[in-house]
Amino acid sequence: MQHLYVHVPFCQRRCSYCDFSIAIRKRIPVREYVDVILKEAAAVGDPFDTIYFGGGTPSLLPPEAIARLLSELTSPRRTPHAEREVTIEANPEDVTVDSARSWKAAGINRVSLGAQSFDDTVLKWMHRSHDAARIGAAVHALRGAGIENISLDLIFGLPEELHRDWERDLEMAHALHTTHLSLYGLTVEPRTPLDRWISRGATHAPDEERYTEEYLFAHRRLTADGFAFYEVSNAALPGFRSQHNSAYWSGKPYVGLGPAAHSFDGTTRRWNLRAWEAYRRAIAEGRSAVETEERLTAEQRELERVYLALRTEEGLAITAPYRPLPPLMSQGWLVEHNGRLRCTPEGWLRLDSLINELTMHTETQP
Ligand code: SF4
């Protein structure tokens, strides 16, 4: 079973909170991009059970480029898979009736929309290039084209002075009847516009109390609406969990193509060169695009297994040396369910410290 991630690094501008590896371009070098990705792909095994176009902004690629990539990456030589999940991340302003139809015809069957908020003031503050109305229009265009598996990304925990109404945003999302939501708390990354605004006092840093309240509110609200949080930041209706992301969280191998893409074969993790130009040159000149690789020790693999398991609803099997620790259980951060330890929403809010306690404590056990 293989899982393929294709990184599309291009964006038209940088969002205020974003520190991703992106290439800001008014004109996207479509042909060069598709050629180097296919050249890198030639060395990769197959078939792929899931394909994920992430970014950057994959929806800036013209639909014909997506179609060419998918037809090469899933050609009969690569053994097509009828049930394959194929996702594209899209910004709402790039979704039109025509692009949605072309994506569907090319094999895309899941779209992750970068909605972030339904408040136009907030969207402007974030430097997003869509307004709230475009989100609904995008969802309707996708559905009209026969793409039902639609996820919305929303950001919570914004600075107080924006007066963002989180409850209203969740209601607006609910009204669109999408099948999946990814909720990310705002974090301040170094060297982002947001970091600079905070340093010069132009905005406040997000506040922890608001972050906690909004996260827990979303859990209550979405659970009441029939969604299950199957991972710390992801909630889905039955049958609509992301198979691709679930593969990451269960420690399965995956292949990444494109600048900054990661690959993992079960023991070794590799990162491609982050900058688009450096990556493009390496592939075009027939060199490896891998910037770094790291072979995980048995200890690192185990720590990662624990971390990934506790991020998910499935949780961690209660086997030696992991056992329910009374202080973590009595605080309501972990629960025992069918022989597994599972985080509660309150536990997910303090996942790192909880894992530290769990793993440190086991080291002192006989
Ligand atoms: S669209 Fe996504 S990748 Fe591009 S700048 Fe905004 S947050 Fe970053």
Side-chain angles (χ1 to χ4, degrees):
M1 186 176 276
Q2 288 254 34
H3 303 280
L4 176 68
Y5 174 79
V6 184
H7 189 72
V8 186
F10 310 109
C11 289
Q12 285 186 323
R13 56 175 153 170
R14 186 173 286 277
C15 298
S16 58
Y17 50 85
C18 177
D19 75 334
F20 294 165
S21 171
I22 57 169
I24 297 176
R25 295 286 185 279
K26 282 276 168 264
R27 201 191 63 80
I28 310 301
V30 178
R31 199 165 168 169
E32 287 138 288
Y33 174 78
V34 172
D35 287 349
V36 288
I37 291 291
L38 291 178
K39 195 165 174 194
E40 192 187 9
V44 162
D46 50 42
F48 302 114
D49 291 278
T50 66
I51 299 181
Y52 192 105
F53 291 96
T57 313
S59 54
L60 285 177
L61 287 178
E64 313 77 65
I66 306 273
R68 182 170 163 226
L69 283 169
L70 276 176
S71 95
E72 289 286 330
L73 294 168
T74 61
S75 68
R77 170 176 70 79
R78 290 178 175 271
T79 325
H81 189 300
E83 299 301 318
R84 184 188 294 115
E85 177 190 273
V86 186
T87 303
I88 187 168
E89 287 179 357
N91 278 346
E93 68 272 22
D94 298 329
V95 185
T96 61
V97 168
D98 288 346
S99 64
R101 282 192 189 136
S102 307
W103 291 344
K104 171 76 177 166
I108 300 278
N109 51 26
R110 182 171 184 274
V111 175
S112 173
L113 273 182
Q116 317 312 355
S117 173
F118 290 86
D119 177 327
D120 285 339
T121 309
V122 167
L123 291 169
K124 242 186 211 152
W125 179 87
M126 289 177 170
H127 287 176
R128 301 291 301 178
S129 36
H130 64 274
D131 59 14
R134 284 307 299 244
I135 304 168
V139 169
H140 293 306
L142 292 169
R143 226 175 254 132
I147 299 176
E148 297 289 341
N149 195 352
I150 304 169
S151 179
L152 296 182
D153 282 2
L154 293 176
I155 298 185
F156 65 94
L158 303 180
E160 179 65 39
E161 67 264 24
L162 288 170
H163 304 296
R164 192 273 193 89
D165 186 340
W166 179 230
E167 188 173 341
R168 177 180 172 271
D169 268 5
L170 288 175
E171 267 164 27
M172 301 283 283
H174 178 68
L176 291 175
H177 302 293
T178 56
T179 51
H180 191 283
L181 283 165
S182 297
L183 309 181
Y184 301 106
L186 183 70
T187 51
V188 184
E189 304 298 340
R191 292 180 297 282
T192 54
L194 176 59
D195 183 35
R196 288 193 290 276
W197 297 344
I198 292 172
S199 312
R200 62 167 196 260
T203 190
H204 287 96
D207 133 351
E208 212 171 298
E209 202 176 314
R210 191 183 182 89
Y211 186 105
T212 300
E213 272 171 20
E214 292 188 350
Y215 183 73
L216 295 178
F217 179 81
H219 268 265
R220 289 194 300 275
R221 174 68 214 251
L222 293 177
T223 307
D225 290 342
F227 282 77
F229 268 80
Y230 65 109
E231 195 263 351
V232 56
S233 305
N234 287 278
L237 289 176
F240 291 98
R241 298 180 178 203
S242 160
Q243 294 168 34
H244 184 86
N245 290 334
S246 296
Y248 294 153
W249 303 322
S250 52
K252 296 205 173 111
Y254 52 86
V255 174
L257 301 176
H262 289 202
S263 301
F264 180 58
D265 64 8
T267 50
T268 301
R269 186 166 288 119
R270 297 182 177 80
W271 293 259
N272 275 352
L273 292 158
R274 284 171 67 89
W276 155 244
E277 265 309 320
Y279 163 85
R280 187 197 61 76
R281 264 200 312 276
I283 298 288
E285 290 167 9
R287 291 182 279 117
S288 163
V290 174
E291 180 180 77
T292 316
E293 66 176 52
E294 180 191 30
R295 193 179 168 80
L296 302 184
T297 62
E299 199 183 328
Q300 285 171 321
R301 285 212 302 275
E302 179 57 9
L303 191 61
E304 194 163 292
R305 186 185 73 81
V306 171
Y307 177 72
L308 291 174
L310 286 173
R311 273 178 70 161
T312 64
E313 183 196 40
E314 208 184 329
L316 178 70
I318 304 176
T319 49
Y322 308 109
R323 58 190 186 81
L325 292 178
L328 301 181
M329 312 299 283
S330 66
Q331 306 216 57
W333 298 343
L334 281 178
V335 289
E336 203 177 328
H337 183 79
N338 290 340
R340 304 184 79 88
L341 284 175
R342 279 165 49 165
C343 281
T344 60
E346 290 78 5
W348 269 333
L349 278 166
R350 42 182 69 77
L351 187 57
D352 290 343
S353 61
L354 190 145
I355 289 169
N356 270 345
E357 273 196 58
L358 194 67
T359 50
M360 264 165 52
H361 199 83
T362 58
E363 282 162 16
T364 63
Q365 298 305 299

